[in-house]
């Protein structure tokens, strides 16, 4: 189990799933490269969990095909796909001990007791919980239960590992730690993984590739940096991180927001009206003569940073500033805003979805 | 918050503060007094009535030993089959992909509304020596009287109790557990065996205990169909009626109360805790995987056969009410209704008694639930006494009230009050639990807001709780009323010549072979029951069902 296995790819082709009149997944094409971790990210009801369950075989697609390792598994039952899942509610069997929980799938396969024992203990050691083997799930903390669920999925040596919002029942600090553990294990074992979450920070931190979904469709696919820095649609810009979306005009390599004009290097942008996305941390607040003029409305002290809401002719702008003891900005102050290129991206002009 | 913590550390401080309120103190005294006089005292009277000598003689009396052995045997047999059938129904009704799922659920509740002797009576009409099915359709000569008849009847009468308990457990099993098992490679049968049924095991144990109590305490069916086969529940009455042997009667019911109380305590304090909480975290709105086909069809078959038997219970009695001479002349007649009409005074007596019992159960239940929810002295004792009657067989309560109230200062024998109070306090757990469930739904902050605005003690009960508890009143009243109007196990001990209730009259008619009249009067009783339940449903907006020991 410790050897890095050769991962297998997962492919979805035009997969659609209807529940009665509801279109949960709308002709989704998806490719999970071998050994990589791909997250499905989106708000609740966007079809990400249904997509995951289609790969698991817990649902059958209305149309389209599912491929695992270049084998068409669309009609294969869940048990024969070599895919295991870590459930959101953990779904640990409350009447079985930790050991029996992890052993469940192996015993179903009727493996010899000695092999079951060896593999279960290996899996428990992998998640750092060998000493809990004889306890019941109810006697474990939430984080421990989560890791047992992970061990139960890993022990099957799956070709593909699925995660259904596995961290959503943990508190913020614990979530960060378990997240790091999952990523380390996944990379070490090289198991192709599909991971569902609605938490954009989790998706950015964990993934090789992020798939942003909305209303049953794929909005954008890319590495974390790309979907953050170059969102293709307003939805993606808004969903991943904070974003100021301001109406602007683009011509001759520069964009004009109200009276503030600054150069933007971006390919394939035509002259005319655009929407400019500015990340709050890319907004520089100063008393300079140049920049977008504005009046500070409110100031939130956040610890290491300060958040300002600034009224400008182009609309309200959220700005995140590093905290400075020597420079206090107060509501009512007249300021100038400049936008740093790294946090600026142009989207097609206001038309709903872009 | 602070007051609560101090109260917990220094027992009595908070309690004394509460009792400083005169209204609350009075209510507390009234509640404690009622429980002491109408629950504790009759119980102690029964247990203390026989001498130590009497108790020691039990193993030497062939009759006692036989009755005890028969009661235990019927408890084991009927509980086993009732739980098996109940499990099949629970399975079928929680799996929408079992055909007829909703129909089975509706049918399974029907026996809960039948008077406690009705299944036996109807099966005598249908499957007895003169039976419509056995003799006239199949041409068989069958004697249904005896242990085998009782076994069949009790299975049909009590499987709904098992079903209700097991349904609760099956419904609490998160579908994600079944899906996780499937995801790990388990097939349909393995999922059912290692997850679904394994998790239902404590529920099945709990169902067995509940059913066993009811079977042991069952008087109505036993007295009608057991024939000469002695049982503890019926023996108590024979002692009293035939021989005026109070000592023998109290000895028998004391023997009966030992296993029922033991089962009751086991259910309440052991199984109640053993249940697995399968809801860990969020995300439970998943569909259940399809049911394992052999299991699906097996439960369908069991439920189908049993449903026919249940529907026949009602059909048999109604047919009996319109048939000239059962077994000889099958022509249609209304004569029995004329006979039943002669007994309408007993129907009125039944309604008066049941209305009284319903009102007392509801009021006492609300008062005690309110008291048990506050930091008062003895609240655990109050709680225990309020649920204890659930462990007592009806015949035990009947004998207890005769012994407790046949002499001054509280000489109630011969008045309707003794029957009203006996039924009311026997049903107290139903009213108490209905009220407690409503009280739990009342957000603590509502009370805190009211007391923050100056309402205290009984004012809280009147201003905050009572409006919210009218629902609990209707529930407690209805359930107690329905059970009281159909009761026989207590009534047989406490009716007096001026206060013959309908069930007692029916039992006498069955005993004297006046089947048509008995069937007509039973049908009238059923109409009253369903009318009251329908009225209650209009008021509380949901269906109520009486359930518990016989």
């Amino acid at each position: 189990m410790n050897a890095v296995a050769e991962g297998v790819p997962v492919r979805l082709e035009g997969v659609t799933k209807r529940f009665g009149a509801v279109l949960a997944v709308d002709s989704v094409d998806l490719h999970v490269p071998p050994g990589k971790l791909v997250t499905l990210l989106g708000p609740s009801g966007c079809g990400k969990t249904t997509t995951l369950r289609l790969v698991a075989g817990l649902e059958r697609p209305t149309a389209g095909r599912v491929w695992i390792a270049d084998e068409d598994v669309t009609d294969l039952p869940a048990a024969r796909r070599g895919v295991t899942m870590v459930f959101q509610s953990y779904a640990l069997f409350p009447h079985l001990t930790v050991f029996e929980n992890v052993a469940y799938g192996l015993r179903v396969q009727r493996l010899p007791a000695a092999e079951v024992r060896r593999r279960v203990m290996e899996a428990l050691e992998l998640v750092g919980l060998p000493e809990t083997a004889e306890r019941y799930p109810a006697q474990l903390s939430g984080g421990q239960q989560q890791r047992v669920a992970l061990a139960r999925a890993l022990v099957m040596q799956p070709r593909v590992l699925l995660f259904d919002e596995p961290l959503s029942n943990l508190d913020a600090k614990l979530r960060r730690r378990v997240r790091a553990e999952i990523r380390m294990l996944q990379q070490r074992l090289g198991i192709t993984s599909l991971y569902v979450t609605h938490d954009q920070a989790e998706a950015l931190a964990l993934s090789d590739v992020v798939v942003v979904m909305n209303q049953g469709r794929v909005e954008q696919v890319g590495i974390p940096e790309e979907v953050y820095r170059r969102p293709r649609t307003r939805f993606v810009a808004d969903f991943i991180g904070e974003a100021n979306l301001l109406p602007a005009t683009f011509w001759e390599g520069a964009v004009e927001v109200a009276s503030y004009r600054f150069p933007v290097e971006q390919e394939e942008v035509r002259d005319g009206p655009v929407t400019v996305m500015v990340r709050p941390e890319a907004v520089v607040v100063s008393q300079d003569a140049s920049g977008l003029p504005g009046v500070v409305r409110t100031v939130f002290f956040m610890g290491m940073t300060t958040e300002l809401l600034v009224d400008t002719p182009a609309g309200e702008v959220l700005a995140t500033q590093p905290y400075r003891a020597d420079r206090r900005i107060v509501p009512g102050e007249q300021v100038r805003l400049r936008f740093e290129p790294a946090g600026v991206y142009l989207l097609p002009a206001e038309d709903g979805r872009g | 918050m602070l007051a609560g913590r101090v109260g917990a550390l220094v027992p009595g401080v908070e309690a004394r503060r509460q009792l400083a309120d005169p209204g609350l103190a009075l209510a507390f005294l009234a509640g404690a007094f009622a429980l002491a006089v109408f629950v504790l005292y009759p119980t102690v009277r029964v247990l203390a009535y026989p001498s130590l000598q009497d108790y020691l003689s039990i193993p030497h009396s062939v009759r006692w030993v036989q009755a005890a052995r028969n009661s235990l045997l019927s408890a084991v047999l009927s509980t086993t089959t009732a739980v098996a059938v109940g499990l099949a129904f629970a399975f079928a009704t929680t799996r929408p992909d079992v055909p007829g799922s909703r129909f089975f659920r509706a049918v399974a509740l029907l026996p809960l509304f039948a008077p406690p002797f009705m299944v036996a009576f109807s099966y005598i009409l249908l499957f007895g020596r003169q039976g419509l099915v056995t003799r006239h359709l199949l041409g068989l000569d069958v004697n249904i009287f005896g242990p085998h008849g009782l076994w069949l009847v009790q299975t049909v009468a009590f499987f709904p109790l098992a079903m209700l308990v097991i349904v609760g457990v099956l419904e609490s099993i998160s579908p994600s557990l079944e899906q996780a098992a499937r995801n790990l490679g388990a097939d349909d049968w393995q999922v059912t065996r290692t997850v679904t049924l394994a998790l239902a095991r404590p529920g099945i144990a709990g169902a067995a205990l509940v059913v066993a109590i009811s079977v042991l305490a069952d008087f109505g069916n036993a007295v009608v169909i057991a024939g000469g086969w002695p049982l503890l529940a019926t023996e108590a009455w024979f002692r009293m009626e035939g021989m005026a042997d109070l000592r023998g009667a109290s000895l028998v019911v004391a023997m009966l109360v030992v296993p029922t109380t033991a089962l009751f305590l086991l259910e309440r304090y052991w199984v109640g805790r053993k249940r697995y909480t399968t809801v860990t975290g969020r995300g439970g709105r998943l569909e259940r995987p399809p049911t394992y086909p052999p299991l699906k069809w097996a439960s369908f078959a069991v439920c189908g056969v049993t449903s026919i038997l249940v529907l026949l219970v009602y059909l048999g009695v109604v047919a009996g009410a319109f048939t000239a001479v059962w077994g000889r002349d099958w022509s249609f007649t209304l004569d029995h209704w004329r006979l039943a009409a002669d007994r309408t005074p007993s129907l009125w007596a039944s309604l008066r008694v049941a209305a009284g019992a319903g009102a007392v159960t509801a009021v006492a239940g609300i008062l005690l639930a309110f008291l048990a929810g506050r930091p008062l002295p003895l609240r655990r004792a109050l709680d225990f006494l309020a649920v204890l009657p659930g462990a007592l067989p009806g015949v035990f309560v009947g004998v207890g009230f005769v012994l407790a109230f046949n002499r001054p200062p509280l000489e109630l024998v011969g008045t309707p009050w003794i029957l009203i109070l006996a039924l009311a306090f026997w049903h107290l757990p139903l009213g108490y639990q209905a009220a407690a469930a409503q009280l739990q739904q009342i957000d603590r902050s509502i009370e805190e807001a009211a007391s923050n605005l100056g309402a205290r003690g009984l004012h809280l009960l009147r201003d905050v709780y009572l409006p919210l508890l009218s629902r609990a009143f209707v529930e407690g009243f209805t359930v107690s009323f329905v059970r009281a109007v159909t009761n026989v196990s207590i009534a047989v001990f406490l009716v007096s010549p001026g206060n013959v209730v309908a069930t007692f009259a029916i039992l006498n008619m069955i005993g004297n072979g006046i089947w048509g009249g008995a069937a007509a009067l039973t049908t009238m009783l059923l109409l009253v029951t369903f009318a009251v339940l329908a009225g209650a449903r209009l008021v509380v907006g949901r269906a109520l069902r009486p359930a518990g020991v016989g």
Side-chain angles (χ1 to χ4, degrees):
Chain A
M1 177 174 288
N2 289 317
V4 174
E6 282 298 302
V8 300
V10 175
R11 212 147 37 84
L12 271 63
E13 280 179 8
V15 167
T16 294
K17 178 67 185 176
R18 283 177 182 281
F19 295 105
V22 182
L23 188 60
V25 174
D26 186 3
S27 50
V28 162
D29 296 305
L30 190 67
H31 176 67
V32 185
K36 299 293 184 194
L37 191 152
V38 172
T39 48
L40 299 176
L41 173 66
S44 60
C46 73
K48 57 191 191 297
T49 295
T50 306
T51 307
L52 191 77
R53 294 166 59 80
L54 287 164
V55 177
L58 294 170
E59 307 281 358
R60 276 186 50 82
T62 313
R65 313 300 301 173
V66 179
W67 302 75
I68 295 177
D70 302 316
E71 176 196 1
D72 185 344
V73 298
T74 315
D75 300 315
L76 215 55
R80 306 234 318 267
R81 292 193 181 190
V83 170
T84 55
M85 184 153 166
V86 179
F87 288 79
Q88 177 180 19
S89 53
Y90 317 147
L92 294 180
F93 306 121
H95 59 303
L96 302 181
T97 62
V98 167
F99 183 92
E100 291 166 334
N101 260 283
V102 179
Y104 186 89
L106 301 177
R107 287 183 173 164
V108 161
Q109 291 182 353
R110 303 189 183 283
L111 295 182
E115 189 186 347
V116 170
R117 165 135 226 111
R118 183 179 57 76
R119 281 173 64 178
V120 169
M121 291 319 289
E122 249 178 51
L124 284 176
E125 253 152 55
L126 216 49
V127 298
L129 288 174
E131 74 285 358
T132 65
E134 297 314 313
R135 284 194 235 159
Y136 284 90
Q139 297 167 293
L140 303 182
S141 71
Q144 288 175 324
Q145 290 185 27
Q146 183 53 71
R147 284 186 282 167
V148 173
L150 182 59
R152 189 177 66 177
L154 283 173
V155 80
M156 303 304 293
Q157 300 176 343
R159 297 192 293 176
V160 181
L161 199 50
L162 305 177
F163 296 89
D164 183 11
E165 307 216 19
L167 306 182
S168 61
N169 290 327
L170 303 180
D171 67 53
K173 276 211 173 113
L174 200 54
R175 202 178 304 170
R176 208 173 275 231
R177 228 182 62 205
V178 180
R179 180 171 91 190
E181 283 171 15
I182 287 178
R183 180 55 167 162
M184 267 162 52
L185 264 179
Q186 186 270 334
Q187 285 187 323
R188 202 169 111 207
L189 302 175
I191 303 175
T192 309
S193 302
L194 198 55
Y195 188 110
V196 159
T197 180
H198 64 269
D199 180 344
Q200 42 98 11
E202 199 171 302
L204 296 179
L206 267 176
S207 321
D208 293 305
V209 175
V210 177
V211 176
V212 185
M213 290 187 70
N214 185 30
Q215 296 178 344
R217 295 177 148 275
V218 173
E219 290 263 334
Q220 187 169 358
V221 179
I223 61 168
E225 193 186 343
E226 186 179 319
V227 291
Y228 184 75
R229 293 196 46 193
R230 292 188 286 280
R232 281 226 315 268
T233 64
R234 291 177 67 89
F235 175 81
V236 175
D238 211 29
F239 192 77
I240 298 187
E242 298 275 354
N244 294 297
L245 295 166
L246 308 171
T249 318
F250 179 83
W251 83 91
E252 290 168 7
V255 72
E256 190 171 285
V257 181
S259 58
Y260 172 43
R261 188 170 157 87
F262 58 100
V264 169
E265 284 181 30
Q266 186 174 334
E267 284 163 21
E268 292 174 24
V269 183
R270 270 175 289 160
D271 287 1
V274 292
T275 295
V276 56
M277 180 209 74
V278 188
R279 296 290 181 196
E281 64 273 16
V283 180
V284 179
V285 181
S286 71
Q287 302 284 358
D288 300 351
S290 69
L292 183 63
V295 179
V296 176
R297 178 149 34 107
T298 43
V299 179
F300 302 101
F301 171 68
M302 308 289 288
M304 288 302 287
T305 58
T306 303
E307 281 188 357
L308 310 175
L309 263 182
V310 182
D311 286 322
T312 75
E316 182 180 89
V317 173
L318 176 69
T320 304
Q321 302 297 298
Y323 173 74
R324 281 171 56 190
D326 59 327
R327 167 89 177 87
R328 290 264 161 75
I329 298 172
V330 294
E333 204 172 316
Q334 305 259 355
V335 292
R336 293 282 183 153
L337 308 180
R338 278 184 295 111
F339 303 148
E340 286 184 352
V344 172
Y345 196 72
L346 301 186
L347 307 174
E350 188 77 26
D351 67 340
R353 289 165 38 90
Chain B
M1 179 73 179
L2 190 64
R5 201 174 300 159
V6 172
L9 287 175
V10 189
V13 171
E14 175 64 15
R16 245 176 283 144
R17 200 179 68 79
Q18 294 262 338
L19 287 182
D21 181 333
L24 201 60
L26 203 66
F28 173 71
L29 286 178
F33 177 79
L35 286 176
V37 172
F38 297 113
V39 176
L40 194 57
Y41 179 56
T43 306
V44 173
R45 272 294 274 167
V46 173
L47 298 177
Y49 197 76
S51 66
L52 187 63
Q53 213 67 48
D54 294 331
Y55 277 114
L56 291 176
S57 74
I58 291 174
H60 305 297
S61 159
V62 178
R63 184 85 182 164
W64 294 154
V65 172
Q66 205 175 29
R69 219 172 28 211
N70 289 350
S71 280
L72 289 181
L73 178 65
S74 82
V76 170
L77 292 178
S78 300
T79 302
T80 307
T81 46
V83 169
V85 174
L87 177 63
F89 268 88
F91 203 79
T93 55
T94 50
R95 304 261 159 181
D97 60 339
V98 175
S101 178
R102 297 178 56 152
F103 170 76
F104 289 143
R105 182 164 220 152
V107 168
L109 296 177
L110 282 177
L112 295 176
F113 303 110
F117 53 85
M118 183 168 153
V119 181
F121 176 40
S122 179
Y123 281 9
I124 291 173
L125 295 178
L126 295 169
F127 305 119
R129 190 150 274 156
Q130 301 293 332
L132 176 61
V133 176
T134 41
R135 171 99 183 259
H136 296 273
L137 294 181
L138 302 175
L140 301 171
D141 184 19
V142 177
N143 183 7
I144 196 170
F145 294 100
H148 53 287
L150 185 65
W151 185 9
L152 169 71
V153 162
Q154 287 180 331
T155 302
V156 172
F158 298 124
F159 84 85
L161 296 178
M163 181 197 84
L164 289 176
V165 174
I166 300 172
V167 159
V169 176
L170 286 184
E171 275 178 346
S172 75
I173 297 175
S174 163
S176 72
L177 291 177
E178 292 174 5
Q179 295 191 340
R182 193 160 303 247
N183 178 251
L184 292 168
D187 62 31
D188 291 339
W189 169 238
Q190 285 168 322
V191 171
T192 309
R193 192 172 54 83
T194 59
V195 178
T196 317
L197 289 180
L199 283 168
R201 226 179 285 141
I204 294 170
L209 297 178
V210 170
V211 172
I213 295 174
S214 294
V215 172
L216 282 171
D218 180 26
F219 172 80
N221 290 312
V223 79
V224 170
I225 211 167
W229 206 55
L231 289 155
L232 289 176
T234 47
E235 198 60 24
W237 188 49
F238 295 147
R239 288 280 143 184
M240 199 90 146
E241 276 305 291
M243 316 172 207
D245 175 8
L246 269 177
R247 181 162 304 197
S250 54
L251 198 59
V252 176
V253 294
M255 286 165 72
L256 188 55
V257 87
V258 172
T260 57
T261 310
L263 293 168
F264 178 80
L265 294 177
L266 208 58
E267 202 278 328
R268 200 172 160 79
Y269 296 105
W270 178 66
V271 176
R273 263 178 220 161
K274 188 88 176 75
R275 273 179 206 152
Y276 304 112
T277 330
T278 67
V279 185
T280 53
R282 290 170 295 159
R285 327 167 262 117
L286 302 169
E287 275 175 59
R288 281 191 199 284
T291 307
Y292 181 51
L295 214 58
K296 177 162 115 179
W297 293 110
S299 62
F300 174 77
V302 172
C303 295
V305 170
T306 311
S307 294
I308 293 170
L309 285 173
V310 168
L311 292 173
L312 282 176
V313 171
Y314 282 80
L315 278 176
V317 168
V318 174
F322 292 101
T323 304
V325 184
W326 195 267
R328 292 202 193 88
D329 178 2
W330 295 104
S331 57
F332 178 85
T333 180
L334 289 174
D335 287 352
H336 304 311
W337 292 86
R338 237 162 275 139
L339 187 67
D342 289 343
R343 308 291 168 105
T344 39
S346 73
L347 202 58
W348 289 121
S350 281
L351 292 179
R352 276 197 306 273
V353 165
V360 175
T361 300
V363 171
I366 289 173
L367 182 69
L368 288 167
F370 177 73
L371 292 173
R374 347 221 85 230
L376 290 167
L378 298 174
R379 58 181 274 209
R380 291 189 142 261
L382 286 187
D383 176 71
F384 181 76
L385 285 179
V387 297
L388 177 67
L392 308 177
V395 289
F396 182 94
V397 176
V399 173
F401 268 65
V402 169
L403 290 175
F405 304 111
N406 62 355
R407 58 180 188 186
L410 267 172
E411 193 175 348
L412 298 173
V413 170
T415 72
W417 285 105
I418 189 166
L419 184 51
I420 291 175
L421 289 167
L423 289 167
F425 280 90
W426 190 43
H427 299 156
L428 180 63
L430 303 171
Y432 176 73
Q433 276 152 5
Q438 289 288 326
L439 284 175
Q440 270 174 9
Q441 290 186 0
I442 297 173
D443 193 346
R444 182 113 200 128
S445 61
I446 297 180
E447 185 188 326
E448 282 169 359
S451 66
N452 180 251
L453 296 169
R456 289 189 53 219
L458 270 200
H459 281 272
L460 272 180
L461 181 61
R462 194 194 63 201
D463 298 340
V464 179
Y465 286 107
L466 278 194
L468 296 163
L469 280 174
S470 49
R471 200 186 145 101
F473 179 88
V474 176
E475 288 192 24
F477 177 89
T478 309
V479 176
S480 179
F481 180 96
V482 169
R483 282 176 42 118
V485 89
T486 57
N487 173 273
V488 282
S489 57
I490 291 182
V492 292
F493 291 97
L494 301 180
V495 289
S496 47
N499 301 297
V500 172
V501 291
T503 49
F504 188 77
I506 295 171
L507 220 50
N508 277 331
M509 288 162 122
I510 297 175
N512 295 328
I514 312 172
W515 288 355
L521 203 51
T522 304
T523 308
M524 282 162 85
L525 213 53
L526 282 175
L527 292 176
V528 171
T529 303
F530 283 108
V532 170
L533 284 167
R537 184 178 187 157
L538 279 184
V539 177
V540 297
R542 115 187 142 74
L544 301 176
R545 52 192 179 228
V549 296

